[in-house]
Structure formats: structure tokens, C-alpha cells
Amino acid sequence: MTTELSPDALTGLLERARQDYQALVGRGLSLDLTRGKPAPEQLDLSEDLLSLPDGRHAAADGTDVRNYGGLQGLPELREMFAEVLQVPAAQLLALGNSSLELMHDCLVHAMLSVVPGAETRWVDQERIAFLCPAPGYDRHFSLCERFGIDMIPVPMTPEGPDMDAVERLVAEDPAVKGIWCVPKYSNPTGDSYSDATVARLAAMPTAAPDFRIFWDNAYAAHHLADEPVEIADLLAACAEAGNPDRVFVFGSTSKITMAGAGVAFFGSSPENVRWLLAHNAKRSIGPDKINQLRHVLFLRDADGVRAHMERQRALLKPKFEAVGRILEAELGGTGLATWTSPKGGYFVTLEVPEGCAKEVVRRAAEAGIVLTPAGATHPYGDDPRDAVIRIAPSYPSPAEVEQAIEGLAVCVRLVGYEKRAA
Ligand code: PMP
């Protein structure tokens, strides 16, 4: 990322960046690019959910959804999402409103009850570690911190985690019990796992007999490009490789319908599904089937999900295009930044020169542009290169996205040229 500049040229660029930054601060902006939340217009697309199920209370098999029971969730909703999440409906559960909650619960259950294939509970082991492809999702890392699980960062590549590192770490250390994966349009790089990565994850020998892949397919249907990305079916690949219990699949409609009132899914081998159901039966008498019926009536089928996601795409795509266009116009050729051009999902990753990310985020905040804290994309909040910034353009309006990215580019120039001049 270095471009040779004469001292005079650098002084000129730095002077201009300082002036632009002063002007930016003077605008008194108040913009927030922190979290990947759907915008109000995206939520409006699902407004009909609020008037459903419109007096109906029978599921397809006659179940009265107002009552207790149905721990697995409505079969017709599980059918609908089987294709999206690549899990046979019989092995897919439709549960509460949050997949993060399910990941939390799976960790708690694994801590307190022996997972299939294990000899002891995780809590009885001296040390538990998870591989954390980085940059990754900060809430995965928070869960590890919450439960005292050591985090081992693994570099993320455009094809998924660095599999040479993953294979070596899982083979040599029985304390490595899991890995976090966001396989499609990952948070925050937007990269998707290649078929080779999926095949290697399914087949790799692991020292821990109870190793689990937490396959958080949060963006399975969230395309931005004209051609949707398809990833290989990890659950099937694990079964074929003789490791049927290796993967826990998670997903939800949080960014399909309503982020606060969607439906979350868990999919896995029959053995793992029985394990989770048995433990869930202790904590709940059944999920919110009225919300599940509402989703069935609203989305109708897998084609309905696709059509709905096209409408989401129409709202999100211009915002992501604006990010790419403005970064290119303002920072292209400066050698100060690279960024991802995601084909789906909710995030763009911006890389600035080493040692600059925290300062860029600080300067942006001073100018009224709030970004996810630098470092949040890495275990323990520590990006060793201090270079990665996550951009979440979904929530602000298109005009606000433009203002925010223009302002962010000014901060990158200011901090980048200051560092070069130092
Ligand atoms: N996983 C990933 C990778 C996410 O980005 C998010 C939302 N930011 C979630 C899970 C949260 O999902 P849910 O709303 O289903 O809890």
C-alpha cells in the first residue's frame, strides 16, 4: 500500500487533508455506520407480518399455533428454509427470534452436557479453545469471552479461513473444540467459502472427537450481485466424510423480515438435533408458533423468500455501490486503502495502513461519523496490525451513506498522510 511521493507532494496532500478535515468537522455531522441493522424501509417490506396471521391459528397439520408445544417448530417453515440453509427439513429446527441466542445456548449446553462424540462436558476440561477466522464477527468473540473459551485467530482469506492453519491447529490440539464460520458473504469481509474450503473443513482430522463447526449462515439469502453466490453443502460433506456430527448450522430471518421479530433456525445431524431438542425441552415448552405461521403466510415458499430478498437487494445495492464508488473516487490510487466489494451480506471491510485504523475511527468520531471500534473485528478486540475498519452501510439513508463515506475518506487521507509524514 505504498506510493512514492516527493516531500513537497506529501506536504501538499497533508495540507489539503487537514483543510478538508476542518471543513468536515465544521459540518457538524451525526452519522452512524456501526451496526449491520436493516433500514426502516427494509423493515417496511415486511409490514404485512403485523396483520398476520389474520385470525388463522391452524398450522398445515392442524396444530393450534396459539398453544404450547411443537418444540421442533412448524414443519412448513422448516421445509421453506431447508433449501436456503442446506439442511434437510427433518434435521432443521425453527425456534426463537435470534440465532445468536441459539449459538449461546449451544455453547452452554456443550459446557454443561456431553455433546455427541465427547467423553466429558466442556466445562470439565482444563482448557477450551475456538478458532476465530479474523477479521470476523465481534459477537462470536464476545461469546467466547463470556464462557472463558480461548480464541485462536486464523487469517481469513477470500476463500474462507486459511485452511493450512486450521488443519494444523485442529489436528494437534484436543482443546480446540470449535471454529466460528460465516460461510457466505462473511461478516465483515463479504467473502464466501470456496468448495475446497468446505471439503477440507468436512474431512480434516481433529484431535478433539467432539469438535464442532459453528456454521453461522446469517447471510445465506442476502445477495447484492446479479449472480447469487452458492456455497457447498457442509452438512452433507461432513456426513460423506464420516464426520456427521461435526457441524451446527445457524440462520435466521432477522435480515429477511424483521430483525427484532424473526425466526431463528438450527440444523445438524439427527444425533445433534436430538441432543439440542432434549436440552431445549427443559428450557421451553415450545417456540412462538404464531410468529412462525405469520412467516409461512407472508413468505409462502423458497421462491417467496427469493422474491422478498430481491426487494431487499434493491434497497441495499445502491448503498453498497455508493461505498465502492466514493472510496474509489477519494482513495483510489493513493495507496492509503483497500476495500472489499461484497457480493452480498451487510458489510464492507476497509483496510488502512498499518497502525492507522484506531486513529481513523477516532478522527471520524470527532467529525460526527461513528464507526465500529477498530479492533472489534478481531478476537479480544485486538487487530495486531491496527488496519481493519468495518463499514456497515445498511441502516443510514443513501444520502447519509454518501456523506459518511466521503467523511471517512477524508479521515483516511488525514491519518494516512500524517503517518507518512511522521
Ligand atoms: N451472525 C452474524 C454473522 C451476524 O452478522 C448477525 C447480525 N449482525 C447475527 C448472527 C445475529 O443474528 P440473529 O439476529 O439471528 O441473532
Side-chain angles (χ1 to χ4, degrees):
M1 264 203 251
T2 49
T3 305
E4 284 308 317
L5 285 173
S6 70
D8 279 355
L10 180 56
T11 307
L13 289 168
L14 182 54
E15 192 45 41
R16 216 195 96 205
R18 286 187 173 138
Q19 285 165 7
D20 290 349
Y21 185 70
Q22 280 314 316
L24 180 69
V25 172
R27 290 174 66 189
L29 297 175
S30 175
L31 300 167
D32 189 338
L33 286 180
T34 52
R35 298 243 58 110
K37 289 202 296 191
E41 306 78 56
Q42 291 180 262
L43 302 172
D44 289 345
L45 294 175
S46 304
E47 192 70 5
D48 287 355
L49 275 179
L50 298 184
S51 47
L52 288 169
D54 195 22
R56 293 178 56 166
H57 37 76
D61 64 359
T63 298
D64 186 334
V65 295
R66 298 168 304 179
N67 219 326
Y68 273 144
L71 274 177
Q72 299 181 328
L74 287 195
E76 50 270 46
L77 189 63
R78 291 157 50 213
E79 280 295 339
M80 189 188 299
F81 278 87
E83 187 187 318
V84 180
L85 292 171
Q86 298 170 295
V87 178
Q91 292 164 233
L92 187 65
L93 307 177
L95 298 166
N97 78 315
S98 155
S99 62
L100 188 65
E101 194 172 78
L102 296 178
M103 296 174 225
H104 171 279
D105 286 1
C106 282
L107 286 176
V108 173
H109 293 319
M111 288 285 172
L112 299 181
S113 347
V114 177
V115 295
E119 275 156 24
T120 58
R121 310 179 307 167
W122 288 3
V123 78
D124 293 328
Q125 313 221 346
E126 212 170 292
R127 173 175 165 261
I128 298 284
F130 263 51
L131 303 187
C132 299
Y137 179 36
D138 55 349
R139 292 186 194 272
H140 290 159
F141 306 152
S142 304
L143 283 176
C144 283
E145 288 203 67
R146 160 83 181 90
F147 296 112
I149 297 170
D150 286 352
M151 289 183 267
I152 304 174
V154 173
M156 182 69 186
T157 80
E159 295 196 29
D162 172 347
M163 283 307 298
D164 291 341
V166 170
E167 285 169 343
R168 182 174 44 77
L169 288 160
V170 297
E172 72 192 16
D173 186 355
V176 175
K177 295 293 186 192
I179 181 170
W180 293 109
C181 297
V182 183
K184 203 194 275 190
Y185 311 134
S186 93
N187 179 349
T189 66
D191 291 318
S192 298
Y193 286 31
S194 67
D195 292 354
T197 299
V198 172
R200 288 172 76 175
L201 283 168
M204 64 192 183
T206 62
D210 49 352
F211 178 82
R212 288 292 181 282
I213 299 170
F214 280 58
W215 196 246
D216 178 2
N217 208 350
Y219 300 104
H222 306 55
H223 317 293
L224 290 167
D226 295 339
E227 272 302 303
V229 169
E230 300 300 340
I231 55 168
D233 178 344
L234 179 65
L235 185 60
C238 285
E240 270 161 37
N243 300 310
D245 298 331
R246 178 169 288 186
V247 54
F248 289 161
V249 178
F250 303 93
S252 77
T253 70
S254 289
K255 285 156 193 173
I256 294 177
T257 56
M258 293 188 181
V263 180
F265 299 90
F266 171 88
S268 196
S269 65
E271 184 73 14
N272 284 335
V273 169
R274 273 194 293 278
W275 171 82
L276 182 64
L277 274 177
H279 298 305
N280 272 1
K282 304 286 190 299
R283 80 181 274 284
S284 170
I285 314 176
D288 178 352
K289 297 181 297 303
I290 295 181
N291 194 33
Q292 297 191 0
L293 177 59
R294 220 180 255 150
H295 276 76
V296 169
L297 296 170
F298 177 64
L299 294 168
R300 292 172 189 279
D301 51 27
D303 282 339
V305 176
R306 272 186 284 274
H308 186 72
M309 292 315 286
E310 267 302 307
R311 293 187 277 275
Q312 296 278 10
R313 184 169 92 103
L315 293 172
L316 284 170
K317 197 173 166 214
K319 297 183 184 180
F320 280 81
E321 283 174 350
V323 174
R325 189 181 66 245
I326 295 166
L327 290 177
E328 184 57 45
E330 300 294 322
L331 298 173
T334 62
L336 292 179
T338 58
W339 53 92
T340 56
S341 304
K343 297 197 171 97
Y346 263 58
F347 303 99
V348 172
T349 291
L350 175 70
E351 271 210 43
V352 294
E354 212 168 313
C356 289
K358 280 202 180 82
E359 185 61 8
V360 169
V361 171
R362 190 181 74 75
R363 296 290 187 116
E366 280 182 8
I369 302 166
V370 190
L371 296 156
T372 309
T377 49
H378 286 66
Y380 307 105
D382 178 24
D383 170 6
R385 292 174 50 244
D386 185 27
V388 174
I389 294 174
R390 185 182 83 162
I391 299 176
S394 59
Y395 190 81
S397 69
E400 287 172 332
V401 170
E402 290 186 9
Q403 285 184 334
I405 302 300
E406 280 161 8
L408 173 59
V410 171
C411 300
V412 173
R413 279 195 283 119
L414 177 68
V415 175
Y417 290 135
E418 270 178 351
K419 185 162 166 83
R420 277 203 205 167

